[in-house]
Amino acid sequence: MRYFILILGVCFCHISEAQTLRSRTVKLMGARFDITIVAEDSLKAEKHIDDAIAEIKRIEYLISDWIDTTQVSHVNQQAGIAPVKVDQEVIALTQRALELSKLTNGAFDISFAAMEKIWKFDGSEMEMPSRAAVKKAKAKVSYRNIEIDTVQSTIFLKLKGMKIGFGALGEGYAADRCREMMLARGVKAGIVNGSGDMNTWGRKPDGKPWMIGLAHPFHRGDLYAIIPLEKSGAAVTSGSYEKFAEINGKRYSHIINPATGYPATGLSSVTVFGPSAELANGFSTSIMVLGSKKGKKLLKKFPGYTYIMATDKGKFIHSETIPLETYRVKNND
């Protein structure tokens, strides 16, 4: 989803003291990725972008559950049948997901993917799914039924019909990996934004911080805030206003509450800032389910992360460490 607008304030050309900024937009992992690199010249910048795209594609063909041949798809195909051997990278990502599930008491759960056949959020839904259908699908959702064998490097889903998906972590993980790869190469500045899962490093060629505009959840086309990304490189927004189902005049969020099997309510958007886009995404998704009170309590345990939330009723709540004067607000009622 396009929750962020990158505010460059420059043209994509030679800018200052042998620094060139280049950007490219591609569709990967079922999402729009905007990749921006600052390098000594255009050729090097474009090569770095090529390599970032290759890394995202590598991750996509490892963890995407909509591609039948990936390791995660094999895990889903063998649900209730047998453990599946996967790369250590997939084991590690799954372990982090399970740790987040325990931390949030199940508000975050990668096995929510079993609900995808019930809730599509693609514009095709004309009526609510039946309670029986929701109950049947929800019975397959529980992180406690995911078994990891680190010695054999296998993942096993205990119940037939179970499914795991990394839609809430994968794009952030890819953004983090690209940032790490570029920093290891000595690329001093850039941005990888996977449809709202963004990680940045360094500064613009003019020495100023990267600026992002947060899309207003209640006024389409407007920005709610313009924020400099100085201390926290990653910024992730989860929201109900870009992807949703509208049934009988009521809007339903695409973020499912694993405890009920129904869309989360109470918050319209949650933006989390911090060092990791993967973890920021996990937090923003969890808080959409937990609500603002429990969400703020959760993030107090992680001082490197801050937040801005918008309730369904139009109220904005921000972290105490984000003073009001550090960002501009438009149409804040």
Side-chain angles (χ1 to χ4, degrees), residues 19-22 36-39 48 182-183 186-191 200-205 210:
Q19 283 192 318
T20 297
L21 184 152
R22 303 293 293 177
T36 300
I37 294 292
V38 176
H48 291 317
M182 293 301 152
L183 284 172
V187 179
K188 295 182 179 179
I191 297 174
T200 71
W201 67 100
R203 288 176 167 245
K204 295 189 291 184
W210 299 111

Side-chain angles (χ1 to χ4, degrees), residues 24-236:
R24 199 185 309 170
T25 298
V26 292
K27 187 172 183 180
L28 297 165
M29 302 180 76
R32 169 175 170 160
F33 270 81
D34 298 291
I35 303 169
T36 300
I37 294 292
V38 176
E40 293 85 357
D41 57 62
S42 296
L43 289 176
K44 287 183 179 179
E46 293 291 351
K47 177 62 168 61
H48 291 317
I49 292 175
D50 288 341
D51 292 343
I53 290 172
E55 176 65 3
I56 298 167
K57 285 182 178 179
R58 183 192 68 80
I59 294 170
E60 179 176 20
Y61 281 88
L62 194 66
I63 67 170
S64 294
D65 60 289
W66 58 85
I67 300 174
D68 291 340
T69 55
T70 68
Q71 293 185 9
V72 166
S73 286
H74 289 160
V75 170
N76 293 337
Q77 291 158 9
Q78 292 297 307
I81 301 173
V84 174
K85 191 173 184 65
V86 298
D87 289 358
Q88 280 297 316
E89 184 176 6
V90 179
I91 291 287
L93 184 59
T94 306
Q95 285 179 314
R96 294 196 297 274
L98 294 183
E99 288 169 5
L100 187 58
S101 295
K102 294 173 184 176
L103 180 68
T104 61
N105 293 317
F108 182 90
D109 195 326
I110 57 172
S111 68
F112 84 97
M115 301 295 300
E116 289 177 350
K117 291 182 179 179
I118 307 301
W119 299 94
K120 297 182 178 64
F121 303 105
D122 59 1
S124 65
E125 284 142 321
M126 303 302 293
E127 59 184 20
M128 294 281 287
S130 69
R131 290 187 178 182
V134 172
K135 183 178 180 180
K136 183 178 179 180
K138 190 175 78 70
K140 309 296 184 182
V141 178
S142 176
Y143 69 92
R144 295 179 179 87
N145 287 322
I146 302 172
E147 288 187 351
I148 296 177
D149 186 330
T150 56
V151 176
Q152 299 298 321
S153 193
T154 61
I155 299 175
F156 178 53
L157 308 183
K158 293 182 181 180
L159 306 176
K160 280 194 173 184
M162 277 192 73
K163 183 179 179 182
I164 59 174
F166 289 97
L169 291 181
E171 290 157 22
Y173 173 63
D176 288 349
R177 283 287 304 129
C178 289
R179 177 182 183 272
E180 292 167 8
M181 182 172 70
M182 293 301 152
L183 284 172
R185 292 181 175 189
V187 179
K188 295 182 179 179
I191 297 174
V192 178
N193 179 14
S195 250
D197 287 26
M198 176 187 293
N199 207 331
T200 71
W201 67 100
R203 288 176 167 245
K204 295 189 291 184
D206 61 6
K208 294 180 180 179
W210 299 111
M211 304 288 289
I212 61 166
L214 271 63
H216 202 297
F218 312 117
H219 300 274
R220 193 172 184 86
D222 283 345
L223 296 181
Y224 159 56
I226 298 174
I227 302 175
L229 293 178
E230 294 189 84
K231 295 181 180 179
S232 56
V236 174

Side-chain angles (χ1 to χ4, degrees), residues 286-304:
S286 301
I287 293 170
M288 285 289 295
V289 174
L290 291 169
S292 60
K293 187 175 180 179
K294 290 182 179 179
K296 288 191 289 184
K297 186 176 180 180
L298 170 66
L299 285 188
K300 277 189 176 180
K301 301 175 183 177
F302 299 86

Side-chain angles (χ1 to χ4, degrees), residues 197-329:
D197 287 26
M198 176 187 293
N199 207 331
T200 71
W201 67 100
R203 288 176 167 245
K204 295 189 291 184
D206 61 6
K208 294 180 180 179
W210 299 111
M211 304 288 289
I212 61 166
L214 271 63
H216 202 297
F218 312 117
H219 300 274
R220 193 172 184 86
D222 283 345
L223 296 181
Y224 159 56
I226 298 174
I227 302 175
L229 293 178
E230 294 189 84
K231 295 181 180 179
S232 56
V236 174
T237 293
S238 295
S240 62
Y241 55 93
E242 291 280 357
K243 186 178 180 181
F244 55 86
E246 193 160 343
I247 303 171
N248 297 325
K250 185 175 180 180
R251 183 176 293 188
Y252 295 88
S253 165
H254 74 286
I255 297 174
I256 300 296
N257 183 339
T260 66
Y262 286 89
T265 60
L267 292 171
S268 181
S269 73
V270 177
T271 300
V272 175
F273 306 91
S276 165
E278 177 193 325
L279 189 51
N281 194 327
F283 285 148
S284 64
T285 302
S286 301
I287 293 170
M288 285 289 295
V289 174
L290 291 169
S292 60
K293 187 175 180 179
K294 290 182 179 179
K296 288 191 289 184
K297 186 176 180 180
L298 170 66
L299 285 188
K300 277 189 176 180
K301 301 175 183 177
F302 299 86
Y305 291 82
T306 56
Y307 60 84
I308 298 176
M309 308 179 196
T311 70
D312 286 345
K313 296 181 178 179
K315 180 181 178 182
F316 291 94
I317 306 166
H318 66 89
S319 173
E320 295 174 358
T321 55
I322 303 179
L324 283 173
E325 62 269 18
T326 64
Y327 58 90
R328 301 202 303 272
V329 179

